[in-house]
């Protein structure tokens, strides 16, 4: 057992890792309309852990401990409050009899079911009817276990604004009757929305004005974790999902080289390339290979190609600017935007000077 | 415009992007182009505008360094 003194630190770490998973599973059981119920159980479970572990020390397998407590609380609630009769989803019939109640709740805490629940939750949080800024706030709160104040810090705004965004997003669950599912029929459009949201989430961490490095890295790593979930699933593991994951890996590989010890920005040409994470570059290239598609390149393919070109250049002067400029030209055709146009002009001149 | 654009051509194209006039990345990019063209007064104007709209401490410090390099040549 871990010593009681480390309890707060470990619970904080576990909260990040497990709260989102438990919330997704419990929302799958209670239904999207009862998401607050699921969040209450997660909160109670973590408080119970904090209180019990403070005196008894941390158990050998804290994750299993948390899941057992959450399962028990769920079963108790479903039994005592007759809550099961209010649930209307594809598993509600299994929650209505004592014979199947406990095994059904238990089964939803198995690894593959947790992944499935998180995927469903991603699609719900990134539903097109919810504004992007609310999608990201809700994803961070529900799936990544970040507190409202941490999200506010990441976005350089106040807690009230973030709370409002999350509240409005949850209201959309009800008013738009959003289903907790991986949308097979409308996959391409819905997956686009999810990828866009994860892309923005990653960029928020990568380019954020927040001075809190831990929050910034958390935003990036959570975006990557959720993107990995998409690539590992048979339905959502589409070429564009791999391309986005490739882009994230290649960008994240430069994280440690972008700032000096005082937190000052180091420009690309001045970065110490030995500090670039070669393991992440390797993964990024591998995912880029896996993203090849007969349907042509998406914006993520092109951006990942640019990032790969930078990552593979021996030094700044050896960068293939002509290739980068050409990819920007292609990018400006499939995704015309003032920012792409600006980058295109900058890289065009970079090539010659 | 091909990739082998001159600084002048690049700058002209950049100044046509009206949607980003208030964006400090854009203002910095235009400032960089003027710096490359050795038009230090104009570069300074754009860097100062970028400095006004930028919130990040590290970005501000970077812009101050660029302003200092302009001063050296003025």
């Amino acid at each position: 057992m871990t010593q009681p003194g480390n309890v707060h630190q470990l619970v904080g770490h576990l909260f990040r890792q497990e709260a989102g998973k438990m919330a997704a599973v419990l929302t799958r059981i209670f239904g999207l309309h009862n998401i607050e119920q699921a969040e209450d159980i997660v909160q109670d479970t973590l408080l119970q852990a904090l209180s019990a572990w403070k005196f008894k020390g941390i158990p050998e397998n804290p994750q299993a401990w948390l899941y057992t407590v959450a399962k028990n609380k769920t079963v108790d609630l479903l039994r005592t409050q007759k809550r099961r009769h209010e649930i209307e989803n594809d598993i509600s019939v299994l929650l209505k009899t004592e014979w199947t109640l406990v095994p059904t709740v238990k089964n939803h805490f198995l690894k593959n079911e947790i992944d499935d629940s998180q995927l469903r939750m991603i699609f719900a949080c990134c539903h097109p009817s919810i504004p992007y800024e609310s999608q990201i706030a809700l994803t961070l709160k529900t799936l990544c276990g970040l507190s409202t104040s941490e999200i506010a810090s990441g976005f350089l705004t106040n807690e009230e604004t973030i709370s409002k965004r999350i509240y409005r997003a949850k209201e959309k669950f009800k008013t738009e009757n959003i289903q907790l599912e991986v949308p097979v029929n409308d996959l391409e459009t819905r997956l686009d929305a999810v990828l866009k949201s994860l892309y923005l989430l990653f960029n928020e961490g990568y380019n954020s004005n927040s001075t809190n490095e831990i929050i910034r890295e958390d935003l990036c790593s959570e975006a990557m974790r959720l993107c990995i979930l998409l690539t590992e699933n048979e339905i959502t593991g589409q070429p564009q999902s791999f391309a986005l994951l490739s882009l994230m890996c290649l960008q994240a590989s430069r994280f440690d080289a972008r700032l000096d010890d005082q937190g000052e920005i180091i420009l690309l040409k001045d970065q110490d390339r030995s500090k670039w994470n070669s393991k992440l570059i390797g993964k990024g290239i591998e995912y880029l290979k896996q993203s090849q598609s007969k349907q042509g390149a998406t914006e993520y393919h092109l951006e990942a190609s640019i990032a790969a070109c930078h990552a593979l250049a021996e030094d700044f002067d050896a960068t293939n600017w002509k290739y980068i400029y050409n990819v920007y030209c292609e990018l400006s055709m499939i995704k015309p935007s003032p920012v792409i146009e600006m980058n295109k002009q900058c890289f065009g001149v970079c090539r010659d000077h | 415009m091909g990739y082998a654009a001159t600084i002048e051509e690049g700058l002209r194209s950049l100044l046509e992007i009206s949607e980003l006039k208030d964006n400090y990345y854009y203002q910095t990019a235009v400032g960089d182009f003027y710096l490359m063209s050795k038009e230090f007064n104009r570069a300074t104007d754009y860097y100062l505008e970028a400095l006004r709209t930028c919130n990040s401490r590290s970005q501000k410090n970077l812009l101050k360094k660029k302003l200092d390099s302009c001063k050296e040549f003025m």
Side-chain angles (χ1 to χ4, degrees):
Chain A
M1 287 216 170
T2 307
Q3 291 308 304
N6 295 331
V7 168
H8 278 279
Q9 200 180 353
L10 185 74
V11 169
H13 182 65
L14 272 180
F15 190 91
R16 284 261 196 282
Q17 287 204 323
E18 303 302 335
K21 292 181 189 173
M22 289 194 285
V25 167
L26 295 173
T27 306
R28 169 104 175 84
I29 293 170
F30 286 103
L32 207 47
H33 292 190
N34 296 312
I35 187 171
E36 283 87 3
Q37 187 81 66
E39 288 174 342
D40 285 349
I41 292 179
V42 173
Q43 204 63 34
D44 283 353
T45 302
L46 290 163
L47 283 174
Q48 191 172 325
L50 199 60
S51 155
W53 299 353
K54 201 184 291 177
F55 298 106
K56 296 176 187 169
I58 296 168
E60 290 299 325
N61 187 345
Q63 182 197 53
W65 192 100
L66 288 174
Y67 288 178
T68 302
V69 171
K71 276 183 263 188
N72 291 341
K73 284 183 186 294
T74 306
V75 170
D76 287 348
L77 192 73
L78 286 165
R79 274 185 187 140
T80 55
Q81 291 190 349
K82 294 183 180 173
R83 195 100 204 182
R84 62 186 100 171
H85 299 294
E86 294 170 19
I87 298 172
E88 287 180 17
N89 59 26
D90 56 337
I91 59 164
S92 57
V93 66
L94 297 170
L95 302 173
K96 282 176 182 160
T97 79
E98 198 58 35
W99 294 102
T100 50
L101 171 64
V102 176
T104 302
V105 171
K106 271 189 176 177
N107 285 342
H108 277 80
F109 278 87
L110 297 173
K111 163 89 174 67
N112 60 331
E113 291 294 336
I114 294 173
D115 288 350
D116 181 63
S117 297
Q118 288 185 101
L119 265 187
R120 290 166 184 256
M121 201 67 188
I122 295 175
F123 277 96
C125 291
C126 302
H127 193 274
S129 68
I130 302 173
Y132 276 120
E133 54 185 17
S134 298
Q135 286 181 17
I136 294 171
L138 186 64
T139 302
L140 287 171
K141 174 89 172 137
T142 312
L143 276 153
C144 309
L146 264 72
S147 69
T148 310
S149 66
E150 286 169 331
I151 302 169
S153 165
F155 284 82
L156 280 185
T157 184
N158 55 47
E159 287 185 51
E160 195 187 346
T161 304
I162 296 297
S163 296
K164 278 181 186 167
R165 285 180 193 172
I166 292 170
Y167 174 79
R168 282 197 291 262
K170 284 180 180 173
E171 282 298 295
K172 284 278 183 190
F173 285 164
K174 293 169 190 164
T175 56
E176 301 290 324
N177 195 25
I178 293 171
Q179 299 299 305
L180 201 58
E181 61 184 11
V182 176
V184 180
N185 294 333
D186 192 20
L187 181 68
E188 200 163 328
T189 316
R190 295 289 304 279
L191 185 58
D192 275 353
V194 169
L195 294 176
K196 174 85 186 286
S197 191
L198 296 185
Y199 175 82
L200 293 175
L201 173 56
F202 183 88
N203 280 343
E204 199 56 51
Y206 200 73
N207 299 320
S208 167
N209 288 331
S210 169
T211 50
N212 189 334
E213 271 305 302
I214 297 166
I215 299 293
R216 291 179 56 177
E217 288 190 26
D218 268 359
L219 297 181
C220 290
S221 62
E222 282 302 318
M224 290 171 79
R225 183 179 71 82
L226 297 175
C227 202
I228 288 170
L229 267 182
L230 291 173
T231 58
E232 287 177 344
N233 181 272
E234 203 179 329
I235 299 167
T236 57
Q238 299 289 324
Q240 58 270 40
S241 309
F242 280 98
L244 178 59
L245 185 55
S246 165
L247 173 62
M248 289 176 176
C249 288
L250 292 164
Q251 296 286 71
S253 72
R254 299 204 291 265
F255 224 109
D256 292 338
R258 296 187 326 148
L259 299 175
D260 66 14
D261 295 340
Q262 281 75 48
E264 304 298 343
I265 293 169
I266 304 174
L267 295 173
L268 183 66
K269 67 181 169 69
D270 301 322
Q271 285 177 15
D272 176 358
R273 294 186 179 217
S274 68
K275 285 187 179 171
W276 289 5
N277 186 324
S278 56
K279 202 173 162 188
L280 274 175
I281 292 174
K283 280 188 176 182
I285 300 295
E286 189 53 43
Y287 288 131
L288 192 56
K289 284 180 188 163
Q290 289 183 56
S291 74
Q292 285 178 357
S293 156
K294 287 176 186 167
Q295 286 142 12
T298 63
E299 62 198 85
Y300 305 119
H301 286 91
L302 298 177
E303 286 199 44
S305 301
I306 293 169
C309 186
H310 284 300
L312 297 175
E314 269 185 37
D315 54 48
F316 186 77
D317 290 334
T319 308
N320 188 344
W321 299 112
K322 180 180 177 181
Y323 174 80
I324 291 179
Y325 178 79
N326 287 337
V327 178
Y328 265 113
C329 288
E330 210 178 323
L331 195 55
S332 68
M333 280 190 277
I334 68 165
K335 185 195 171 188
S337 88
V339 174
I340 302 284
E341 195 55 38
M342 177 178 78
N343 287 341
K344 195 175 88 177
Q345 299 309 334
C346 292
F347 282 108
V349 168
C350 224
R351 142 68 185 89
D352 274 350
H353 301 274
Chain B
M1 188 174 118
Y3 74 88
T6 61
I7 293 173
E8 292 70 30
E9 284 174 330
L11 182 58
R12 207 176 305 129
S13 304
L14 209 54
L15 291 171
E16 284 169 12
I17 306 172
S18 57
E19 297 96 326
L20 293 175
K21 294 269 189 251
D22 298 326
N23 180 303
Y24 71 85
Y25 284 118
Y26 172 81
Q27 290 152 353
T28 308
V30 177
D32 287 345
F33 269 72
Y34 277 123
L35 186 63
M36 284 191 282
S37 308
K38 299 187 173 35
E39 292 189 55
F40 303 112
N41 284 325
R42 287 192 171 175
T44 301
D45 289 344
Y46 274 91
Y47 289 146
L48 284 173
E49 190 59 22
L51 198 61
R52 198 182 58 78
T53 49
C54 160
N55 291 319
S56 154
R57 183 188 57 85
S58 50
Q59 290 283 3
K60 278 180 191 286
N61 287 343
L62 184 67
L63 285 163
K64 282 175 190 165
K65 282 182 193 166
K66 286 176 187 279
L67 280 165
D68 287 342
S69 63
C70 283
K71 274 183 202 164
E72 282 178 24
F73 294 104
M74 283 162 73

